[in-house]
């Protein structure tokens, strides 16, 4: 028997004839096995009282029934089957709470109703079901928690672990329900939660109409299917079903990350629709049926061709990885070595040329149930990794590198070279720190380990170390950041951390001659572009050190002089070119005449201006008098020193000996050398130089053009200055900067010094780029503690610098619970203090509300929630992740900061993002006279022990639920909500109190006894203390000065006792594991009132 029912052709649908006496007698051997158990006595009587006569038709294999039987509502929680053995690993990985919900709760009801409703639309796929069960068990077991592991999650123990609840609900509801679970994964992979829920509502409604219409025409229907067609499936129930499938996808994606990444790289290059149908029901049914059928064939070893995108969507959703043959752009065989496909079925992809422009596997459907009002919304989605995926922290950082390089413009055009420079630059800083350079230590050690600079350099290093499929994947992520993250970080004021502007990086070069060589190369390019052919129009000024503290400026030609002609071998004449230097020999230059002094003074008073980096604009020096001018330039303007008495030595040589040595070297290299005294060269300001050509009687004025004004720079005749500024490009300067690192021509100290100086004085409250980088480091610091968490790829489309939790961080407004307390950081504990690290490098210090707002934004990729709405939040559930205030998961003695959040794999079984808040005034059991026998207050015997071993914490929810404002969309689903949550204390089976654990981070009555540092003897007599060994003794307001709750080593009981004590208004002292009683006695003596000690 197939459980079919029929009716007389003369009966009218929905009309019941009372003349037909109700009789029900279904032989047990005719009932389907699952139905047999359901027909207990009570249920039989219910049916007999409401329906008419049932006439078995044995020959036809159906049951004739009156119309009212079509309206029977079976209790589907009673319809339970044994899960296939391949799925047993899934069930054993679930917590008891999740397993109960899957086997008898709402998700089981949903699975059974959907399975029954669609049973006749499901193709038979025993091989696929077996293969999927094997894979699902493998994934679930990889992340299962043992009982001891769950205890560490305290009140969230039942919610921790992989969420396979809907999968186990399907496995215990029959084969058709397992196929329904596969459809749920299919829809969850490509559609957003509200969209997928809307699709479910539409296909369920259409299927119900189809079943009832078929029954009206044929007079026969499957009993369970017909019954399901008459039962309600609320949207909230469907949304929970979809949410559980999404959570499972995240779990499986994490376990099968390597295989999933390779598959997505292939699918990104495919352009194919799921199918071409425009009717939602028909399109979904066809995609589902084709996927099941084709994968069944592959499991059986029959090769298939992917002519539409449904089978490809299924591969990405069900974590089955057959071997592939990719036809385009070239024939490639991808062997995935999945043991599920031992028989060798191969899927061929790309036989048909793409007819559409959309990338990846895409699907377009009209969604009639997305909004409360209006025409169906036509939505198009794709599983292309650039728009429909979640990223791990490391993947997000790779995409962030892409956004960073885009912000650098042409300077970041060469991805490989740019990232190599970032990695090399940070390596240089680490080497500088090893050498003890203060600036390098500030940029790399202590709290700087958590800086955005450290994060980006680590990501760049990982990119450089990658190869093969991993490098290909990283390139995709870099491209993702470049294309879709163009506003993510904002545009920096200057690219490459400000080192490029006008060749500032020349300052970090280690060698004087290498600086000159680089500047001559730059000058050659400038001269060529501007048509400069005379060496006197552009020259080099560089700093030559006489000792560690003394130096002089020297000069060199930037483009060579023409010094004559020579005859070639063929008899023609050609010009002879040579560079020239003006070196310091220790002698004074010629005296400056009065008329020349007047010219200098006129220039100095009229055009003095300094172009250099300052935190605030410098105050110009006042004009000099003639006497001051003559005194200042008595040593020829910079730091000329006499070669006579008091002259410095250079490597043991006098200035003149050093001059002769260097002259010989340069002469040998073909470069002419002159003494500085041969020309009058005066430096009136760092950016302006005047040269009096002594031999020619001319005075020329030059302006800074390129390089480091203080160390080595190009100066160009002043009328050419505007043109030089126009022809400089970030791309050219970046190439020069990268090249000096690649040739190891850098001074490690100067690299650290220059970066530290620029970051020290950066305005991080205004610069959007810096705010975004700090935000990334803040989020990364939190997500590093959540190994299973992921972020929505759409976060890259946000303007990170302009979100609510960032605005509250930079002091735009203040409110209780948002701003850090004086002297406290709200980040997880740092291993070292700031140690002078520039604030612009460090993560933001967050309150608990800001932390949850940050997590919600990265989790959803779109929701910018004002932290003011989250002040009371103690935990957040999203997808397969629970984010919990650290105070709820730790012994109360371990001080946690309000912004310290812990991540746990799991959820609370509600769709969307759910913020958990305690009730405004949690209840505590009243101390009644009936419990007087339980109030025990013995004298302390000197032994700390645990008298609360039967205490447990439990999580439950009230019916209070509030949607959070994330913008009105007209949609039918709540994407973000606040849920009132009870954290209850039970002693055995007796309720004691509901807790607000958040008060442990803000309560003024809480203190912690510090460990003993005085080495008091261990045999000190214990003070007079009254013990509290049960909850009634704590609640019944102890009347003695000092009471001790004995819950030693039981962190959950200590947590509950601390929270209750504070809620009752008692000063509370939490003791360390090892207590010094002399310190204790001294500590409690400071209290004026009664005190509760938690031991």
């Amino acid at each position: 028997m197939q459980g079919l029912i029929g009716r007389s052709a003369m009966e009218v649908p929905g009309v019941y004839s009372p003349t037909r006496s109700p009789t029900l007698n279904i032989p047990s051997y005719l009932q389907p096995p699952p139905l047999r158990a359901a027909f207990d006595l009570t249920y039989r009587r219910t049916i007999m009282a409401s329906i008419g006569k049932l006439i078995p038709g044995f020959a036809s294999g159906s049951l004739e029934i009156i119309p009212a039987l079509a309206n029977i509502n079976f209790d589907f929680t009673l319809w339970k089957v044994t899960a296939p053995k391949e799925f047993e690993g899934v069930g054993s990985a679930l917590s008891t709470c999740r397993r109960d919900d899957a086997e008898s709760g709402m998700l089981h009801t949903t699975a059974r109703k959907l399975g029954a409703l669609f049973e006749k639309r499901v193709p038979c796929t025993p091989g696929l079901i077996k293969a999927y069960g094997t894979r699902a068990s493998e994934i679930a077991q990889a992340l299962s928690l043992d009982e001891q592991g769950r205890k560490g999650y305290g009140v969230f123990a039942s919610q921790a672990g992989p969420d396979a609840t809907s999968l186990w609900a399907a496995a215990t509801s029959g084969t058709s329900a397992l196929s329904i679970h596969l459809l749920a994964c299919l829809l969850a992979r490509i559609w957003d939660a509200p969209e997928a829920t809307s699709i479910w509502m539409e296909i369920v409604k259409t299927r119900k109409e189809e079943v009832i219409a078929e029954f009206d025409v044929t007079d026969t229907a499957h009993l369970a299917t017909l019954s399901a067609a008459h039962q309600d499936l609320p949207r909230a129930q469907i949304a929970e079903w979809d949410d559980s499938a999404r959570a499972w996808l995240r779990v499986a994606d994490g376990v099968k990350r390597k295989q999933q990444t390779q598959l997505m790289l292939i699918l990104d290059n495919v352009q194919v629709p799921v199918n071409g149908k425009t009717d939602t029901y028909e399109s979904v049914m066809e995609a589902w049926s084709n996927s099941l059928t084709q994968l069944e064939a592959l499991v059986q070893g029959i090769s298939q061709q992917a002519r539409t995108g449904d089978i490809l969507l299924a591969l990405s959703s069900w974590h089955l990885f057959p071997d592939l043959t990719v036809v385009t752009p070239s024939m490639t065989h991808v062997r995935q070595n999945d043991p599920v496909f031992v028989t060798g079925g191969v899927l061929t992809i790309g036989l048909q040329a793409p007819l559409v422009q959309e990338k990846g596997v895409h699907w377009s459907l009209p969604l009639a149930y997305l909004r409360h009002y209006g025409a169906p919304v036509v939505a198009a989605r794709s599983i292309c990794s650039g728009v429909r995926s979640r990223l791990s922290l490391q993947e997000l950082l790779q995409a962030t590198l892409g956004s960073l390089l885009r912000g650098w413009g042409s300077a970041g055009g060469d991805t490989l070279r740019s990232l190599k420079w970032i990695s090399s630059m940070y390596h240089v800083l680490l080497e500088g720190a090893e050498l003890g350079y203060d600036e390098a230590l500030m940029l790399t050690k202590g709290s700087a380990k958590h800086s955005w600079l450290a994060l980006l350099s680590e990501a760049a290093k990982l990119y450089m170390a990658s190869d093969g499929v991993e490098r290909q994947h990283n390139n995709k992520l870099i491209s993702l950041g470049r294309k879709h993250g163009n506003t993510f970080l904002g545009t920096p004021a200057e690219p490459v951390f400000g080192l490029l502007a006008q060749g500032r990086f020349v300052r970090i070069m280690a060698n004087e001659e290498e600086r000159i060589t680089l500047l001559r190369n730059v000058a050659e390019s400038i001269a060529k572009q501007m048509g400069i052919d005379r060496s006197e129009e552009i020259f080099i000024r560089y700093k030559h050190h006489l000792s560690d503290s003394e130096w002089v400026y020297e000069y060199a030609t930037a483009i060579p002089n023409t010094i004559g002609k020579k005859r070639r071998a063929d008899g023609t004449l050609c010009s002879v070119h040579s560079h020239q230097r003006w070196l310091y020999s220790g002698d004074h230059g010629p005296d400056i005449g009065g008329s020349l002094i007047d010219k200098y003074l006129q220039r100095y008073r009229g055009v003095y201006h300094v172009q250099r980096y300052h935190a605030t604009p410098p105050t110009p020096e006042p004009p000099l008098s003639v006497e001051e001018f003559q005194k200042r330039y008595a040593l020829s303007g910079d730091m000329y020193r006499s070669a006579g008495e008091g002259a410095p030595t250079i490597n043991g040589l006098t200035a003149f000996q050093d001059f002769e040595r260097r002259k010989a070297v340069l002469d040998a290299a073909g470069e002419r050398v002159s003494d500085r005294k041969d020309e009058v060269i005066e430096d009136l300001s760092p950016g302006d130089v005047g040269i009096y050509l002594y031999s020619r009687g001319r005075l020329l004025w030059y302006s800074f053009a390129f390089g480091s004004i203080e160390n080595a720079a190009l100066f160009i005749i002043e009328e050419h200055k505007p043109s030089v500024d126009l022809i400089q490009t970030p791309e050219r300067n970046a190439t020069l900067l990268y090249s000096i690192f690649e040739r190891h021509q850098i001074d490690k100290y100067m690299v650290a010094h220059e970066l530290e100086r620029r970051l020290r004085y950066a305005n991080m409250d205004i610069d959007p780029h810096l705010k975004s980088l700090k935000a990334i480091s803040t989020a990364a610091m939190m997500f590093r503690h959540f190994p299973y968490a992921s972020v929505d790829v759409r976060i890259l489309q946000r303007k990170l610098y302009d979100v609510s939790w960032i605005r509250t961080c930079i002091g735009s407004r203040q409110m209780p619970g948002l701003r850090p307390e004086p002297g406290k950081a709200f980040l997880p504990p740092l291993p070292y203090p700031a140690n002078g690290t520039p604030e612009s490098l460090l993560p933001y210090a967050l309150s608990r509300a800001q932390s949850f707002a940050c997590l919600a934004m990265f989790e959803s990729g779109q929701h910018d929630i004002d932290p003011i709405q989250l002040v009371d939040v103690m935990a957040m559930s999203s997808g397969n992740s629970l984010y919990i205030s650290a105070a709820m998961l730790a012994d109360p003695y371990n001080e946690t900061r309000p912004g310290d959040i812990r991540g746990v794999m799991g959820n609370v079984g509600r769709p969307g993002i759910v913020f958990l808040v305690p009730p405004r005034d949690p209840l505590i059991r009243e101390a009644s006279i009936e419990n007087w026998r339980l109030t025990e207050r013995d004298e302390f015997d000197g032994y700390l022990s645990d008298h609360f071993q039967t205490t447990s914490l439990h999580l439950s929810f009230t019916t209070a639920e509030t949607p959070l404002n994330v913008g009105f969309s007209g949609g039918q689903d709540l994407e973000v909500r606040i849920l009132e949550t009870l954290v209850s204390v039970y002693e055995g089976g007796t309720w004691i109190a509901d807790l607000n654990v958040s008060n442990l981070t803000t309560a003024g009555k809480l203190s912690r006894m510090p460990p003993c540092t005085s080495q008091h003897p261990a045999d000190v007599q214990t003070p007079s203390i009254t013990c509290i060994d049960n909850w009634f003794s704590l609640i019944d307001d102890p009347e003695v000065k000092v009471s001790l709750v004995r819950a030693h080593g039981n962190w959950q009981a200590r947590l509950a006792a601390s929270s209750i004590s504070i809620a009752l208004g008692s000063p509370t002292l939490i003791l360390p594991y090892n207590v010094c009683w002399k310190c204790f006695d001294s500590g409690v003596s400071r209290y004026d009132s009664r005190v509760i000690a938690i031991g």
Side-chain angles (χ1 to χ4, degrees):
M1 285 294 296
Q2 297 299 315
L4 296 175
I5 57 176
R7 66 173 177 210
S8 168
M10 297 297 294
E11 291 172 343
V12 181
V15 177
Y16 169 61
S17 173
T19 59
R20 309 177 74 171
S21 57
T23 305
L24 178 63
N25 184 16
I26 305 179
S28 61
Y29 60 86
L30 293 178
Q31 299 172 16
L35 183 61
R36 197 175 304 160
F39 275 90
D40 60 14
L41 181 60
T42 302
Y43 198 52
R44 292 186 188 202
R45 288 173 179 170
T46 302
I47 296 176
M48 292 173 66
S50 59
I51 64 174
K53 184 179 180 182
L54 180 68
I55 304 174
F58 299 104
S60 63
S62 65
L63 298 175
E64 293 184 8
I65 194 170
I66 64 168
L69 186 57
N71 296 315
I72 291 176
N73 288 325
F74 284 107
D75 183 353
F76 279 89
T77 61
L78 300 176
W79 194 303
K80 176 183 171 184
V81 300
T82 302
K85 65 178 182 178
E86 292 81 14
F87 289 85
E88 290 175 354
V90 175
S92 64
L94 298 177
S95 66
T96 302
C97 178
R98 287 193 190 280
R99 187 164 180 144
D100 289 344
D101 187 35
E103 293 177 355
S104 57
M106 189 60 68
L107 280 175
H108 182 85
T109 302
T110 305
R112 185 63 203 112
K113 285 181 179 180
L114 291 173
L117 184 62
F118 287 92
E119 185 171 4
K120 292 305 176 182
R121 293 299 303 254
V122 180
C124 182
T125 56
L128 171 59
I129 296 299
K130 181 177 180 180
Y132 185 72
T134 302
R135 178 54 37 80
S137 291
E138 172 194 341
I139 291 169
Q141 287 298 308
L143 300 174
S144 64
L145 297 171
D146 57 25
E147 201 60 35
Q148 193 62 32
R150 288 190 184 280
K151 287 182 179 179
Y153 299 121
V155 69
F156 290 94
S158 294
Q159 285 73 33
D163 182 2
T165 316
S166 63
L167 173 53
W168 187 247
T172 56
S173 297
T175 303
S176 60
L178 281 168
S179 297
I180 288 289
H181 165 78
L182 293 176
L183 174 58
C185 292
L186 207 71
L187 297 177
R189 172 64 74 193
I190 195 168
W191 300 101
D192 285 338
E195 295 167 342
T197 303
S198 301
I199 292 171
W200 274 111
M201 295 303 295
E202 185 162 353
I203 64 174
V204 165
K205 176 179 178 293
T206 305
R207 177 58 181 158
K208 285 181 177 181
E209 293 172 349
E210 186 179 68
V211 170
I212 293 173
E214 182 181 341
F215 183 64
D216 287 341
V217 173
T218 65
D219 296 336
T220 59
H222 192 272
L223 179 60
T225 301
L226 186 60
S227 179
H230 284 81
Q231 295 197 28
D232 186 32
L233 266 172
R235 190 180 186 98
Q237 201 170 322
I238 290 293
E240 287 188 17
W241 172 259
D242 172 75
D243 189 68
S244 183
R246 289 176 189 278
W248 171 251
L249 280 183
R250 289 199 199 180
V251 171
D253 286 348
V255 174
K256 291 296 179 182
R257 183 172 300 279
K258 181 179 179 181
Q259 297 91 330
Q260 193 74 3
T261 297
Q262 177 172 278
L263 177 64
M264 293 309 298
L265 285 172
I266 295 171
L267 298 189
D268 279 351
N269 295 315
V270 174
Q271 294 174 257
V272 59
V274 169
N275 56 48
K277 293 188 177 296
T278 56
D279 178 80
T280 299
Y281 178 73
E282 291 301 327
S283 180
V284 172
M285 290 298 103
E286 181 177 295
W288 181 35
S289 177
N290 285 352
S291 301
L292 292 171
T293 304
Q294 286 194 277
L295 262 173
E296 172 70 15
L298 287 170
V299 170
Q300 300 295 342
I302 305 171
S303 295
Q304 300 290 300
Q305 296 177 1
R307 298 190 179 277
T308 54
D310 42 28
I311 180 64
L312 303 180
L313 177 59
L315 292 182
S316 72
S317 308
W318 300 342
H319 301 91
L320 300 173
F321 306 100
D323 290 351
L324 305 174
T325 298
V326 183
V327 176
T328 56
S330 60
M331 181 74 73
T332 305
H333 185 66
V334 181
R335 189 173 296 281
Q336 303 199 78
N337 300 315
D338 190 336
V340 164
F341 297 93
V342 291
T343 51
V346 177
L347 179 66
T348 301
I349 300 174
L351 285 177
Q352 292 182 327
L355 301 176
V356 291
Q357 297 300 316
E358 292 88 344
K359 291 193 67 176
V361 178
H362 50 274
W363 204 352
S364 178
L365 292 176
L367 306 182
Y369 288 80
L370 184 61
R371 295 177 180 167
H372 285 285
Y373 176 78
V377 177
V378 178
R381 295 290 179 256
S382 166
I383 61 169
C384 174
S385 62
V387 292
R388 307 301 298 177
S389 64
R390 299 191 65 82
L391 306 176
S392 67
L393 173 60
Q394 292 304 329
E395 289 172 328
L396 173 64
L397 292 177
Q398 292 294 320
T400 301
L401 286 176
S403 178
L404 178 78
L405 297 184
R406 179 183 175 114
W408 287 3
S410 59
D414 188 333
T415 297
L416 184 62
R417 204 172 187 192
S418 300
L419 297 186
K420 183 179 179 181
W421 176 79
I422 293 175
S423 179
S424 300
M425 177 271 300
Y426 196 76
H427 182 70
V428 168
L429 294 178
L430 292 174
E431 290 181 331
E434 292 298 321
L435 295 171
Y437 299 151
D438 288 343
E439 288 88 343
L441 288 167
M442 293 175 188
L443 297 179
T444 59
K445 301 299 182 182
S447 50
K449 291 180 179 180
H450 307 279
S451 72
W452 54 261
L453 187 62
L455 280 174
L456 295 178
S457 63
E458 180 185 350
K461 183 178 179 181
L462 289 174
Y463 177 89
M464 298 304 300
S466 65
D467 56 15
V469 172
E470 186 180 3
R471 171 62 69 87
Q472 188 180 359
H473 181 54
N474 286 338
N475 282 333
K476 288 271 188 181
L477 292 167
I478 297 286
S479 298
L480 172 66
R482 284 186 182 275
K483 181 177 181 180
H484 296 284
N486 55 316
T487 61
F488 183 54
L489 298 180
T491 302
E494 295 181 54
V496 196
F497 311 136
L499 295 177
L500 297 186
Q502 294 183 300
R504 188 180 288 127
F505 55 85
V506 172
R507 178 183 175 88
I508 68 175
M509 297 183 71
N511 185 277
E512 180 180 294
E513 290 301 318
E514 289 170 347
R515 291 192 192 110
I516 293 171
T517 300
L518 182 140
L519 290 173
R520 282 174 171 168
N521 289 335
V522 173
E524 183 179 348
S525 174
I526 292 175
K528 184 176 181 181
Q529 292 183 68
M530 296 181 60
I532 295 174
D533 56 3
R534 293 185 302 158
S535 62
E536 67 181 43
E537 294 186 64
I538 184 169
F539 75 95
I540 297 170
R541 183 186 74 184
Y542 62 94
K543 185 182 288 185
H544 178 62
H545 285 271
L546 307 177
S547 66
D548 289 340
S549 60
E550 295 181 295
W551 49 267
V552 294
Y553 279 135
E554 295 182 337
Y555 302 85
T557 54
I559 58 176
N561 292 316
T562 301
I563 60 174
K565 294 184 180 294
K566 69 176 183 180
R567 194 173 298 278
R568 295 192 183 96
D570 60 1
T572 60
L573 293 175
C574 65
S575 298
V576 177
H577 304 282
S578 175
H579 277 290
Q580 185 171 356
R581 299 279 185 97
W582 288 266
L583 306 182
Y584 171 61
S585 67
D587 291 338
H588 292 298
D591 292 334
I592 302 174
S595 62
L596 186 56
I597 290 176
D598 290 339
K599 292 180 180 179
Y600 275 119
L601 287 174
Q602 182 182 0
R603 170 77 174 185
Y604 191 85
R605 291 186 178 119
V607 300
Y608 179 76
H609 180 66
V610 178
Q611 292 181 338
R612 60 185 299 179
Y613 180 86
H614 280 279
T616 57
T619 302
E621 296 179 15
L624 300 177
S625 65
V626 173
E627 292 77 13
E628 289 170 332
F629 183 86
Q630 289 173 321
K631 181 179 179 181
R632 174 169 177 172
Y633 289 99
L635 295 179
S636 301
D638 43 25
M639 287 192 67
Y640 269 162
R641 297 296 302 265
S642 170
E645 183 179 355
T649 60
I650 306 165
N651 296 325
L653 303 175
T654 65
F656 183 75
Q657 289 171 328
D658 179 61
F659 170 82
E660 290 293 329
R661 179 185 62 81
R662 291 192 293 149
K663 181 177 183 301
V665 173
L666 293 170
D667 283 341
E671 187 165 347
R672 295 188 302 156
V673 176
S674 299
D675 196 319
R676 261 200 64 159
K677 68 182 181 182
D678 295 342
E679 307 286 357
V680 179
I681 303 175
E682 300 299 341
D683 307 295
L684 299 186
S685 76
D688 293 306
V689 175
I691 297 182
Y692 178 66
L693 303 177
Y694 188 70
S695 58
R696 288 174 253 179
R698 296 173 58 198
L699 177 62
L700 301 176
W701 291 102
Y702 295 82
S703 293
F704 166 74
F706 182 90
S708 168
I709 291 177
E710 300 92 339
N711 290 73
L714 286 173
F715 288 80
I716 194 165
I717 205 81
E718 62 181 356
E719 55 263 32
H720 292 326
K721 169 65 173 172
S723 300
V724 172
D725 292 340
L726 290 174
I727 65 175
Q728 291 192 57
T729 65
E731 181 179 12
R732 185 194 66 181
N733 291 352
T735 300
L736 293 171
L737 172 63
Y738 300 160
S739 66
I740 65 176
F741 271 82
E742 290 162 359
R743 294 196 294 265
H744 306 288
Q745 295 175 340
I746 44 97
D747 182 323
K748 294 172 184 173
Y749 170 76
M750 288 305 300
V751 170
H753 176 77
E754 187 67 17
L755 272 173
E756 194 276 338
R757 186 178 68 159
R758 298 200 62 76
L759 293 168
R760 173 75 59 192
Y761 298 107
N763 195 332
M764 61 181 181
D765 286 346
I766 296 177
D767 187 341
H769 187 65
L770 269 181
K771 287 195 288 185
S772 298
L773 290 174
K774 283 171 67 68
I776 278 291
S777 64
T778 305
M781 192 169 183
M782 286 192 288
F783 275 98
R784 281 196 168 185
H785 299 285
F786 314 149
Y788 307 114
S790 59
V791 304
D792 194 297
V793 69
R794 289 171 294 182
I795 188 65
L796 294 169
Q797 297 173 325
R798 298 286 316 191
K799 293 180 179 179
L800 197 54
Y801 53 85
D802 194 34
V803 296
S804 296
W805 63 273
I806 294 294
R807 290 196 294 271
T808 60
C809 283
I810 61 176
S812 59
R813 58 181 171 152
Q814 297 188 14
M815 53 169 287
L818 286 186
R819 302 299 296 168
E821 298 172 10
K824 280 193 175 184
F826 286 169
L827 288 166
L830 301 179
Y832 304 99
N835 290 340
T837 299
E839 188 68 24
S840 61
L841 271 181
L842 297 177
Y844 286 112
L846 301 184
S847 68
R848 184 173 64 243
Q850 289 167 332
S851 294
F852 281 124
C854 170
L855 289 167
M857 190 187 70
F858 277 86
E859 266 282 337
S860 66
Q862 53 187 331
H863 298 318
D864 181 14
I865 301 172
D866 192 332
I868 198 172
Q869 302 181 78
L870 307 178
V871 171
D872 296 324
V873 172
M874 60 184 177
M876 182 184 98
S877 173
S878 175
N880 195 50
S881 297
L882 275 169
Y883 302 101
I884 308 165
S885 173
M888 301 187 70
L889 299 178
D891 188 284
Y893 186 79
N894 301 324
E895 186 173 5
T896 59
R897 294 160 177 83
D900 188 0
I901 309 297
R902 306 288 168 83
V904 178
M905 175 183 285
N907 58 44
V908 297
R910 303 294 178 95
I913 292 178
V914 182
F915 292 107
L916 310 184
V917 298
R920 190 171 298 277
D921 296 305
L923 299 176
I924 299 176
R925 190 184 189 94
E926 292 185 3
S928 62
I929 193 171
E930 290 83 1
N931 296 323
W932 67 271
R933 292 181 182 275
L934 300 176
T935 304
E936 300 175 358
R937 295 196 177 100
D938 298 329
E939 285 297 312
F940 181 48
D941 57 7
Y943 293 98
L944 285 174
S945 53
D946 180 16
H947 288 257
F948 294 82
Q949 295 182 15
T950 58
T951 293
S952 59
L953 302 181
H954 299 267
L955 196 73
S956 60
F957 309 108
T958 71
T959 56
E961 183 175 286
T962 302
L964 212 55
N965 179 23
V966 291
F968 180 74
S969 65
Q972 297 195 45
D973 300 283
L974 297 180
E975 298 184 54
V976 184
R977 70 193 77 198
I978 290 179
L979 181 64
E980 189 175 62
T981 305
L982 302 180
V983 178
S984 303
V985 186
Y986 280 80
E987 179 66 27
T990 303
W991 173 81
I992 302 298
D994 296 327
L995 307 179
N996 180 6
V997 181
S998 301
N999 61 16
L1000 297 181
T1001 60
T1002 57
K1005 291 182 177 291
L1006 179 72
S1007 59
R1008 296 172 175 85
M1009 176 181 160
C1012 176
T1013 58
S1014 302
Q1015 298 182 343
H1016 293 133
D1019 58 353
V1020 174
Q1021 183 176 359
T1022 56
S1024 176
I1025 309 172
T1026 299
C1027 292
I1028 294 177
D1029 292 339
N1030 62 51
W1031 295 110
F1032 296 100
S1033 300
L1034 175 62
I1035 295 169
D1036 194 20
D1037 190 20
E1039 298 176 355
V1040 296
K1041 171 77 183 293
V1042 181
S1043 300
L1044 174 64
V1045 177
R1046 291 198 291 182
H1048 192 62
N1050 185 342
W1051 72 267
Q1052 294 190 50
R1054 280 162 58 90
L1055 182 71
S1058 302
S1059 182
I1060 292 174
S1061 177
I1062 292 170
L1064 293 173
S1066 301
T1068 305
L1069 176 66
I1070 304 177
L1071 307 185
Y1073 187 82
N1074 296 310
V1075 181
C1076 171
W1077 295 112
K1078 186 172 182 62
C1079 292
F1080 174 84
D1081 201 23
S1082 174
V1084 297
S1085 65
R1086 300 190 183 100
Y1087 286 88
D1088 296 329
S1089 59
R1090 289 171 295 179
V1091 60
I1092 304 293
I1094 311 296

